[in-house]
Amino acid sequence: QIKDSATLTRDVLEQHFSDLKGTLKKLLDERLMSLLQEVDVIEQESIKPLDECQKLIEHGVSTADDLLREGESAVNGDVGQQNEKLCNFTKKALHIQLDSLPEVPSLVDVPCLSAQLDDCLLTILKNQIFRHGTVASRPPVQLEEFVEKPGGILVRWCKVDEDFTPQDYRLQYRKSPASPFEDAYVGSETEFMVLHMDPHVDYQFRVCARGDGRQEWSPWSVPQIGRTTLVPHEWTTGLEGYSLSSRRNIALRNDSQSCGVLYSKAPTYFCGQTLTFRQVLFGIETVGQPDRRDSLGVCVEQRNGDDSLQRDKAVCISTNGAVFVNGKEMTNQLPAVTSGSTVTFDMEVVQLGPSSNEGGNFKLRVTISSNNREVVFDWVLDQCCGSLYFGCSFSYPGWKVLVF
């Protein structure tokens, strides 16, 4: 691990600084080209009026020189033609304004180009470069635990650097070494349930953190493999009153008039696991009123024809917070199930034995939690159950349930 991580770190550093060199050279070349173009523009705009002034002066000198030669010819010519030439020379000289010159700008008004280059840029770059990048012997956070969930993995991580104060964590995973990592979670919690995991498939996870008040992320933790052997929880298809998501883990009570209990596809809940109903909420467009028969819960068997889980061989919580065990309401009550609520069921076997004439001898310790409150009770059954169904029943449209 040390040699592999050291080799990888060298490659990352070399590639990063190579990219920086290329980027800096490109930026410097672009800046040089911009300044040279600025020089060209100033030169062209400033020299143009001076060139025009020079042309006018040269034209005037040439005209005066021609007139001078014409005057000399008139003076030195034949006597017969002399008067005529002098007359023409005089007329021409009167029309030509030899004493007028174009306005020539003063020397202080003429641009004198120069380049101002401040050496402080090198000092700033030097200080920034010397502080750029760090090498860490170990990341400040590491993956701690993977907990198998039906169709998912609960990932936990912890801080291992006492001097590091985290502000946010970032969890990533990928399905194969050839595929890129993708974000699963960014936030302040130290655990996250990653859903939609295929059973018996290895996933690679890594986590990093961002220090308090900082923008950059810390080095990644050592990648670790997590997997789940538990098949995902799915609602059963075909019940007219409910619409399911593509993965069949979300059920939506539609506006169909038919009602009944929607069960799981199979008895996939086992004792020792946590069954979670999350994002139980009302619809946005059609807000249904809660009904006293509305329930979420666990049962021994599927039973068609029932309109609620408030029956025998089932434990459930109604949307008003009432808890039912084998169809009987308990005195203890939980908060009402509303928009955004999360309800969890935990069960463990506390007594297992042969049935007697007076009833069952299979007892489960059940814990139902909702909105930071919980009730604990014993559920007595007349038969041993290795696995259980889960279900829900809603009378009005708009309810939506995610199960995992």
Side-chain angles (χ1 to χ4, degrees), residues 248-360:
R248 296 181 295 278
N249 61 338
I250 299 177
L252 171 66
R253 180 65 168 93
N254 56 37
D255 55 4
S256 173
Q257 296 299 319
S258 64
C259 61
V261 178
L262 177 66
Y263 293 101
S264 57
K265 179 181 178 181
T268 53
Y269 175 63
F270 298 88
C271 291
Q273 298 177 1
T274 297
L275 177 69
T276 303
F277 299 97
R278 180 176 290 177
Q279 295 177 354
V280 182
L281 48 86
F282 290 109
I284 297 175
E285 297 177 357
T286 56
V287 178
Q289 296 298 321
D291 187 276
R292 63 179 183 82
R293 298 169 297 172
D294 295 346
S295 305
L296 293 165
V298 176
C299 57
V300 175
E301 60 188 4
Q302 292 180 337
R303 204 161 71 184
N304 297 327
D306 292 331
D307 61 356
S308 176
L309 280 173
Q310 300 168 17
R311 59 171 177 81
D312 62 333
K313 296 185 179 181
V315 292
C316 65
I317 175 177
S318 67
T319 52
N320 65 5
V323 177
F324 290 83
V325 182
N326 290 331
K328 296 180 180 180
E329 184 176 353
M330 296 182 59
T331 56
N332 293 336
Q333 187 164 333
L334 292 170
V337 178
T338 58
S339 176
S341 294
T342 297
V343 179
T344 61
F345 286 75
D346 290 275
M347 299 187 187
E348 59 177 337
V349 179
V350 294
Q351 184 176 345
L352 179 62
S355 298
S356 64
N357 294 332
E358 298 178 355

Side-chain angles (χ1 to χ4, degrees), residues 344-383:
T344 61
F345 286 75
D346 290 275
M347 299 187 187
E348 59 177 337
V349 179
V350 294
Q351 184 176 345
L352 179 62
S355 298
S356 64
N357 294 332
E358 298 178 355
N361 200 24
F362 184 71
K363 186 185 297 183
L364 298 177
R365 181 70 45 79
V366 182
T367 302
I368 304 178
S369 302
S370 176
N371 294 334
N372 297 320
R373 289 181 58 185
E374 65 180 29
V375 294
V376 182
F377 55 89
D378 289 338
W379 182 21
V380 179
L381 297 170
D382 59 3
Q383 61 185 25

Side-chain angles (χ1 to χ4, degrees), residues 150-151 195-197 232-237 243-252 262 276-279 390 400-404:
L195 297 174
H196 311 317
M197 302 276 100
H233 291 318
E234 295 181 8
W235 297 103
T236 190
T237 59
S243 302
L244 306 183
S245 63
S246 59
R247 288 182 175 267
R248 296 181 295 278
N249 61 338
I250 299 177
L252 171 66
L262 177 66
T276 303
F277 299 97
R278 180 176 290 177
Q279 295 177 354
F390 57 86
K400 188 177 182 181
V401 184
L402 164 67
V403 62
F404 60 88

